[in-house]
Amino acid sequence: MRMSGQLTPLSRSYIETADVVVGVVPNNLARKWLQDIAKKYICLLSYYDDCDVDGKDRRDTYQRMSATILDEVRSGKTVCAAFYGHPGIFACVSHMAIKDARAEGYSAEMLPGISAEDCLVADLGIDPGATGMQSMEATQFMIFERKIDPTALTVLWQPALAGETTFKRFDTTADRLQVLVDKLARDFPLDHPVILYEAATSALETTRMDTIPLRDLPGAAMSGSTTLVIPAAFPLKPDQAIIDQLNALPAAADAQLQPA
Ligand SMILES: C[S@@+](CC[C@H](N)C(=O)[O-])C[C@H]1O[C@@H](n2cnc3c(N)ncnc32)[C@H](O)[C@@H]1O
């Protein structure tokens, strides 16, 4: 997320030593830095222009990105593909390229990175272990039957694309966000505070942590860097039947002492 400081030493060494670095890094400063330290840098950002072509959408972009990575591998080079955050979290290209490379007999591995979710845990001071956490893409939550547990923390990724089902646009509309609010209102009160979170990606930026009532989401400003964080709305409810079942069991030490 933050090139200065949050890039792991191992990732940095792969970037520096690979014959070619293929990058999908939108942040200008981060991209410039990569271009400076890589032996050769191929920027794939322009592939998003596929979405302007009739009959093509983001899925074509992702296929083409993966294919470019594989072309470099097939030409005998050591290739490092660089993505921001964790390269395997909400980033299908990395998974596709690794799967295809391995299928063709090449050795390929993914190195973990610090994702937006890691940053939000730190910035918002929320421990996912306290209530449990459900984390999913906003549109996936909308268009599939998902069971949300309002006693757990909910993280919705890509809310700025919520309900955008054409795979061609990079924004959404207030009426689509209203559909998201209506679905969330099945489990959360409309006045429940939700957080629009944007981690700072450089020392020059400040982290956005705007708390608004759920009902105000359709009018909220969002960008490609916004993640929607919904704290638990209700306390955990004991499952008394299971507690009784556990209490009825002999203590573990006693059970071991019993003859077979
Ligand atoms: C395609 S996903 C990439 C996620 C990335 N691989 C990661 O590990 O964080 C894009 C989504 O990540 C989240 N995201 C990206 N940048 C962010 C930032 N600076 N702060 C908070 N969330 C961010 C947003 O939900 C955004 O819609």
Side-chain angles (χ1 to χ4, degrees):
M1 301 301 295
R2 221 189 243 226
M3 192 64 85
S4 57
Q6 290 182 348
L7 178 72
T8 66
L10 192 55
S11 297
R12 182 182 174 132
S13 89
Y14 279 32
I15 288 166
E16 285 173 332
T17 55
D19 295 328
V20 57
V21 176
V22 183
V24 190
V25 177
N27 183 287
N28 289 335
L29 286 175
R31 196 167 58 251
K32 172 85 181 62
W33 183 82
L34 280 174
Q35 280 162 340
D36 286 347
I37 68 162
K39 289 183 192 164
K40 179 183 171 194
Y41 184 81
I42 300 176
C43 175
L44 303 186
L45 283 175
S46 66
Y47 287 20
Y48 283 111
D49 295 348
D50 284 352
C51 298
D52 298 332
V53 177
D54 272 353
K56 290 193 171 183
D57 60 32
R58 280 201 293 279
R59 287 167 291 202
D60 295 285
T61 297
Y62 300 148
Q63 293 285 356
R64 205 150 69 89
M65 287 176 170
S66 177
T68 296
I69 296 168
L70 260 288
D71 283 347
E72 294 296 322
V73 172
R74 286 186 201 110
S75 72
K77 297 181 188 127
T78 54
V79 182
C80 173
F83 303 83
Y84 72 91
H86 189 304
I89 296 187
F90 291 88
C92 61
V93 176
S94 52
H95 290 286
M96 267 193 262
I98 287 177
K99 188 165 166 250
D100 291 351
R102 286 180 181 159
E104 292 182 26
Y106 297 103
S107 136
E109 65 174 320
M110 181 184 289
L111 299 181
I114 295 181
S115 74
E117 202 163 76
D118 297 311
C119 295
L120 77 83
V121 164
D123 287 331
L124 302 179
I126 298 175
D127 182 352
T131 59
M133 177 172 74
Q134 49 217 328
S135 177
M136 66 190 85
E137 205 267 335
T139 302
Q140 188 192 73
F141 163 71
M142 292 170 77
I143 66 175
F144 291 97
E145 290 187 15
R146 307 302 309 257
K147 283 203 171 71
I148 283 286
D149 175 0
T151 67
L153 172 67
T154 304
V155 176
L156 291 186
W157 299 70
Q158 305 197 148
L161 297 181
E164 201 297 295
T165 51
T166 66
F167 288 98
K168 284 178 90 65
R169 296 184 56 92
F170 293 91
D171 55 9
T172 187
T173 55
D175 48 0
R176 285 176 174 76
L177 286 168
Q178 186 59 51
V179 175
L180 172 62
V181 169
D182 292 345
K183 185 157 183 186
L184 285 168
R186 296 178 190 172
D187 296 296
F188 297 96
L190 279 171
D191 60 357
H192 185 57
V194 301
I195 304 162
L196 298 164
Y197 173 74
E198 289 168 19
T201 56
S202 81
L204 303 173
E205 293 175 8
T206 49
T207 293
R208 180 184 184 194
M209 298 180 271
D210 290 342
T211 302
I212 58 168
L214 174 59
R215 68 160 58 81
D216 289 355
L217 196 60
M222 282 190 263
S223 77
S225 301
T226 313
T227 297
L228 181 64
V229 182
I230 310 177
F234 306 106
L236 290 167
K237 203 171 152 201
D239 186 334
Q240 199 53 52
I242 294 289
I243 293 170
D244 291 345
Q245 209 178 328
L246 291 173
N247 285 340
L249 294 174
D254 296 349
Q256 276 170 12
L257 289 177
Q258 281 171 12

